[in-house]
Amino acid sequence: MNKHHRRFSSVLIATVAVAGLALTTACGGDDESTPAPKGETTTAASPEANEPEPQGRSERDDLVRFELEDRSQAGINNIWVVWTIKNNSSEKSTYSWDWEAVDAQGTRVANSSQLETDVQPGQTATGEFPTTLKTTEGIKLNITSFNRTAGF
């Protein structure tokens, strides 16, 4: 196979993978927006949970921290979302979630999707992602969907 065909195949495979993730995220989980956790928090179990979680926990409880972190300096805006996932299930898991940032007037000013893959049972994973936000003042983070799937 020549170099151009391999490159095209790689791009095609990556595109299909991203489209599959987007479709899975769009079709699964809560349709309601929930506030993002600040530190260790728990939320009510979602009715769409496919399997019972240990000790009455829902898969959404595995997202133990999701907040804005302002790293701006010298007049340059640099605001990130940061998170901590703790896999409370008994199997390796992949997490995907959608979020939005809403200002004091209720206008969505940013949104995105996040992915944390192959988190082992009992393991904690942290991550971060840059935003286009100019400030954190008056901004509220909401989780608009959240899914945990068994990793392979």
Side-chain angles (χ1 to χ4, degrees), residues 21-22 25-26 83 96-99 111-115 129 144-145:
L21 177 61
T25 301
W83 63 84
S96 62
W97 67 98
D98 296 326
W99 62 270
N111 69 308
S112 190
S113 298
Q114 303 308 140
L115 179 68
F129 189 78
T144 56
S145 73

Side-chain angles (χ1 to χ4, degrees), residues 55-129:
Q55 303 164 357
R57 295 178 61 97
S58 77
E59 62 186 26
R60 173 65 173 76
D61 291 333
D62 289 1
L63 182 62
V64 294
R65 181 174 74 116
F66 189 69
E67 59 193 18
L68 294 172
E69 187 174 288
D70 191 346
R71 302 175 184 174
S72 301
Q73 59 182 335
I76 298 173
N77 294 324
N78 189 15
I79 299 172
W80 292 65
V81 292
V82 294
W83 63 84
T84 302
I85 292 275
K86 170 104 172 59
N87 184 350
N88 293 300
S89 77
S90 60
E91 57 192 4
K92 179 170 68 170
S93 299
T94 294
Y95 298 87
S96 62
W97 67 98
D98 296 326
W99 62 270
E100 65 180 6
V102 180
D103 68 15
Q105 290 75 38
T107 302
R108 183 168 67 184
V109 292
N111 69 308
S112 190
S113 298
Q114 303 308 140
L115 179 68
E116 194 67 53
T117 62
D118 300 326
V119 184
Q120 298 295 328
Q123 187 177 46
T124 298
T126 60
E128 57 186 21
F129 189 78

Side-chain angles (χ1 to χ4, degrees), residues 6-22:
R6 281 192 302 256
R7 190 176 307 152
F8 176 76
S9 296
S10 296
V11 169
L12 181 61
I13 290 169
T15 302
V16 168
V18 169
L21 177 61

